[in-house]
Amino acid sequence: MCEYIIIGASSFIGRHLYYCCREKKIESVGTYYKHNFNKEWIPFDLCTDRLKSLCDYYLKGKMPKAVIICSANTGIDSCKSNFKESSRLNVVCTKELLKEADALGIKSIFLSSEAVFDGKKGMYTEEDDPAPITLYGQQKLEIENILDKI
């Protein structure tokens, strides 16, 4: 049984997470959008592909324990200069994936960012109030707030 689907296994953190799972013999499936660094990874467009279709086709209808969302437009400047595109990927499509995972009974693990804080204090904890100063940080915080409601 597949324990995890790592959406965005081609990202820096996603790639390390994927290989760590493999090293520890944890069954996991990795996805990529543009950069297929591993022939075992599955193409997945967060904005057009569906999690259920991925599970039906590649996992023969079995559901993983969790989906780990590592995909995002993480470039601070890129998010700012491509507002609509980054908002679509980082908020709208991520929100839809979270809703779909919830409807399928799959737990979601979302990788947020320290960018949800303003950087004035440092050494933040979950008890600290977020205060993003970048669009990217605002987008990440928006998803965090959505997770609180799912």
Side-chain angles (χ1 to χ4, degrees):
M1 176 185 165
C2 177
E3 292 195 45
Y4 303 110
I5 294 176
I6 302 169
I7 304 294
S10 59
S11 69
F12 180 79
I13 294 173
R15 185 168 54 251
H16 289 282
L17 181 60
Y18 176 83
Y19 289 122
C20 181
C21 287
R22 288 299 194 185
E23 183 179 295
K24 296 183 181 296
K25 308 279 191 249
I26 299 169
E27 284 295 317
S28 55
V29 169
T31 73
Y32 71 94
Y33 175 62
K34 288 184 181 176
H35 306 291
N36 185 13
F37 301 120
N38 185 311
K39 65 181 177 158
E40 295 176 353
W41 291 347
I42 298 166
F44 189 83
D45 183 331
L46 184 65
C47 292
T48 60
D49 293 331
R50 300 283 57 99
L51 187 57
K52 179 154 182 10
S53 298
L54 186 151
C55 293
D56 286 347
Y57 187 78
Y58 292 100
L59 303 178
K60 310 294 187 242
K62 304 230 189 255
M63 298 296 149
K65 287 183 181 179
V67 59
I68 303 171
I69 305 168
C70 303
S71 60
N73 177 345
T74 60
I76 302 289
D77 292 334
S78 176
C79 286
K80 185 178 178 181
S81 62
N82 299 299
F83 175 81
K84 284 184 180 180
E85 181 183 304
S86 69
S87 293
R88 181 172 179 258
L89 176 67
N90 291 349
V91 179
V92 175
C93 298
T94 299
K95 179 180 175 182
E96 289 305 311
L97 180 66
L98 291 167
K99 284 181 178 179
E100 183 183 12
D102 185 56
L104 293 170
I106 302 171
K107 292 181 183 177
S108 295
I109 300 168
F110 173 71
L111 300 187
S112 190
S113 169
E114 63 187 7
V116 300
F117 301 108
D118 59 16
K120 293 178 182 175
K121 175 186 157 215
M123 302 304 291
Y124 293 100
T125 69
E126 290 185 11
E127 286 75 39
D128 290 311
D129 291 328
I133 58 174
T134 64
L135 178 60
Y136 173 67
Q138 292 166 4
Q139 292 169 342
K140 287 292 191 176
L141 181 58
E142 190 169 343
I143 295 298
E144 285 186 20
N145 291 333
I146 290 166
L147 281 169
D148 287 341
K149 297 173 187 167
I150 293 179

